[in-house]
Amino acid sequence: MGYKTLIALFAILIFVFAPRKPSIAESKNFEILKDSISFNDAVILSILKNFGSKEFDFEHLLKNKDYRVQIIYSQIDRNPKNEAVFTDYTLNHNPAQYFYPASTVKMPVAFLALQKLNQLKIHGLSRNTTMISEAGYSGQTAVYNDPQSPDGRPTIGNYIKKVFMVSDNDAYNRLYEFLGQAYINNTLQKMGYDSVQIVHRLEIALTEDENRSTNPVKFYDTFGNIIYQQPLIRSQLPYQPRQTFLGKGYYSRGKLVEQPFDFSKKNRIILADLHSILKSVLFPEMMPAGKRFNLSADDYSFLYKYMSTFPAESSFPQYDSSYNDAYVKFLGLGAKDAIPSTLRIFNKVGDAYGFLTDVAYIVDFEHNVEFMLSATIHCNSDGIYNDNKYDYETIGFPFMKALGQAFMNYEISRKRKHLTDLSKFRLDYNN
């Protein structure tokens, strides 16, 4: 028996306390994984085995490397002062294994938009100030009004609401344009997030040159006076060299190209950085100063509210019933119509090119439970990109549902030394 196996077995013995359920070492399930797992892997595997649904086969999924599954779990305990104490566990986390982050990049961009407003220190400039986007370069479009705001004014605040409540792509693009490519990447990398390469807008097909150029923007006060204007910014950001080719083919202009798809100049950020970025906003007091965003108390309250608001709870923007509670809450225990009112999820999801990702802090007020869970999975069994044939419904969403359920089941059963006060995250969603 190898050294790693001994560590894994020891972890399971001290971690799994339910005697009616077998540990990983005692079970034939996950047998193929045991010889390569670390202490962290063993902890997560034991939760999936002992608290996961019998209807979902985690073993089969984890054996198949094509799914490129990565999981990060932060167990949260509270000390006598109600300060959060984190114990982090990972499964298959590999910074070198690329996944397309899709809409998860909207989360740090939204945080940076609020930070930049604070850094400008201009009287009257806030997230509620009217922001007009002009078109100043090839591929750019202008915005003079926002029909999804209460008074038709486009604002940073309303864009951020839409980013978190329904993952609106145009809203993200406008924040990207306000910040500029260089500001986004240089700022996040100075904060220690070295993996970050956020270099393009979403949903619209633009060249590298067009994505380097961001729209001129102007901010107006209530009297129509310009209080801040930013010209077209042309980024000279040097791209981190990558050779990232995946799959066996892709569609381009309606034709199949039988060669791997090039992700080398697509957005990139590793799961650990996304997890840390979310933690830094939810628990800034527990993070080093260099990892915190420059946000006010009001900014934090604003973010907490709209990161956890369900679309049906929003008056402006207003969304129809097609945006159910779990629309952007993949780890929301699988609810299709309604997530229980006692459950709140502060998160950001992403799905594109067959990659499905959720980075979440989950709170259950009924059981006084909290934890962080981030996961990504690749759902593209045919290895072809841009064919709109991805395995979200058959693999991805069921995986996320089962994963969220397994960790919630475990957390409800887990004993804590100190009572958790979750009042910070009890918010008013009625206004």
Side-chain angles (χ1 to χ4, degrees):
M1 183 177 292
Y3 175 69
K4 289 186 177 180
T5 304
L6 287 172
I7 294 177
L9 293 177
F10 177 71
I12 294 158
L13 289 173
I14 64 172
F15 192 83
V16 180
F17 53 81
R20 69 185 183 279
K21 296 182 179 181
S23 70
I24 297 170
E26 296 166 340
S27 171
K28 293 181 180 179
N29 292 319
F30 299 107
E31 192 72 26
I32 195 170
L33 301 169
K34 289 195 309 181
D35 288 336
S36 62
I37 58 179
S38 67
F39 175 88
N40 277 347
D41 291 332
V43 168
I44 290 180
L45 287 170
S46 70
I47 292 174
L48 299 182
K49 170 56 187 169
N50 292 287
F51 295 91
S53 169
K54 294 180 180 178
E55 299 175 359
F56 190 85
D57 190 353
F58 281 109
E59 178 194 10
H60 170 74
L61 186 144
L62 292 172
K63 285 178 184 176
N64 189 335
K65 300 301 182 183
D66 290 339
Y67 290 123
R68 305 169 78 88
V69 171
Q70 298 186 54
I71 301 170
I72 302 177
Y73 160 55
S74 287
Q75 189 177 103
I76 305 174
D77 291 289
R78 298 282 178 158
N79 65 20
K81 296 180 180 179
N82 198 50
E83 296 170 330
V85 179
F86 295 89
T87 306
D88 298 326
Y89 301 97
T90 66
L91 176 65
N92 294 340
H93 186 258
N94 180 3
Q97 180 172 273
Y98 178 83
F99 69 92
Y100 181 67
S103 292
T104 60
V105 300
K106 297 171 185 175
M107 179 174 65
V109 165
F111 300 160
L112 287 174
L114 293 175
Q115 171 171 290
K116 182 172 178 178
L117 289 174
N118 293 334
Q119 290 173 332
L120 288 170
K121 296 181 180 178
I122 297 174
H123 179 70
L125 182 63
S126 74
R127 65 174 183 266
N128 298 316
T129 305
T130 302
M131 183 179 87
I132 301 301
S133 302
E134 301 284 359
Y137 200 75
S138 170
Q140 296 182 358
T141 57
V143 176
Y144 300 111
N145 64 79
D146 183 354
Q148 291 183 308
S149 70
D151 53 11
R153 295 183 305 110
T155 66
I156 294 289
N158 211 50
Y159 286 143
I160 291 174
K161 290 179 186 180
K162 292 191 283 186
V163 156
F164 285 113
M165 288 193 294
V166 296
S167 200
D168 188 284
N169 287 325
D170 181 70
Y172 157 79
N173 292 342
R174 301 307 171 181
L175 299 178
Y176 173 94
E177 291 159 2
F178 165 60
L179 294 170
Q181 190 187 84
Y183 178 88
I184 294 169
N185 290 274
N186 291 336
T187 303
L188 290 173
Q189 287 170 16
K190 285 178 183 177
M191 293 174 72
Y193 301 116
D194 298 333
S195 77
V196 170
Q197 192 169 348
I198 299 175
V199 293
H200 60 79
R201 298 168 177 84
L202 297 177
E203 193 174 29
I204 53 177
L206 299 177
T207 66
E208 176 185 328
D209 175 64
E210 289 168 334
N211 277 311
R212 284 184 176 276
S213 300
T214 48
N215 305 41
V217 295
K218 296 177 182 177
F219 290 84
Y220 292 85
D221 65 17
T222 55
F223 299 102
N225 301 312
I226 296 175
I227 57 176
Y228 173 69
Q229 57 183 326
Q230 177 177 286
L232 181 146
I233 297 175
R234 170 71 182 170
S235 167
Q236 301 298 324
L237 181 78
Y239 286 5
Q240 300 171 15
R242 286 192 279 135
Q243 294 294 317
T244 309
F245 295 87
L246 299 178
K248 60 185 181 182
Y250 61 93
Y251 276 88
S252 177
R253 299 179 181 178
K255 294 184 179 180
L256 177 63
V257 180
E258 296 188 58
Q259 61 186 41
F261 188 60
D262 187 3
F263 285 91
S264 301
K265 290 189 177 179
K266 296 289 187 183
N267 288 337
R268 179 190 67 179
I269 183 170
I270 65 173
L271 195 64
D273 284 352
L274 286 167
H275 194 85
S276 178
I277 286 169
L278 177 60
K279 185 188 291 186
S280 74
V281 167
L282 295 170
F283 301 93
E285 70 282 1
M286 307 310 298
M287 299 291 285
K291 290 282 188 182
R292 299 177 206 154
F293 292 87
N294 179 2
L295 302 176
S296 67
D298 185 59
D299 290 333
Y300 284 118
S301 297
F302 170 76
L303 288 171
Y304 297 166
K305 179 174 181 177
Y306 290 102
M307 290 176 76
S308 59
T309 296
F310 300 126
E313 294 173 320
S314 173
S315 297
F316 289 99
Q318 200 167 41
Y319 299 105
D320 62 34
S321 58
S322 65
Y323 295 94
N324 60 59
D325 286 356
Y327 183 73
V328 289
K329 309 290 181 188
F330 299 161
L331 290 165
L333 312 188
K336 286 296 184 183
D337 297 314
I339 291 177
S341 59
T342 57
L343 189 70
R344 285 290 167 177
I345 303 172
F346 304 73
N347 76 314
K348 189 70 200 75
V349 301
D351 61 288
Y353 295 115
F355 290 94
L356 204 64
T357 305
D358 197 350
V359 181
Y361 167 66
I362 301 175
V363 179
D364 183 339
F365 294 110
E366 179 182 1
H367 298 98
N368 214 40
V369 159
E370 63 176 337
F371 61 98
M372 288 187 67
L373 185 62
S374 299
T376 186
I377 183 172
H378 185 224
C379 313
N380 188 19
S381 58
D382 65 5
I384 305 296
Y385 295 97
N386 288 336
D387 62 353
N388 292 321
K389 294 180 181 178
Y390 303 120
D391 309 313
Y392 295 136
E393 296 293 336
T394 57
I395 300 295
F397 292 130
F399 164 73
M400 290 290 182
K401 169 185 175 179
L403 190 68
Q405 286 178 331
F407 280 89
M408 180 59 76
N409 291 340
Y410 169 68
E411 283 287 339
I412 290 173
S413 74
R414 189 170 71 85
K415 298 187 182 196
R416 292 160 173 78
K417 186 175 180 180
H418 301 286
L419 186 65
T420 301
D421 178 2
L422 295 172
S423 57
K424 171 182 174 180
F425 298 107
R426 289 185 181 272
L427 309 174
D428 180 6
Y429 298 95
N430 295 318
N431 54 39

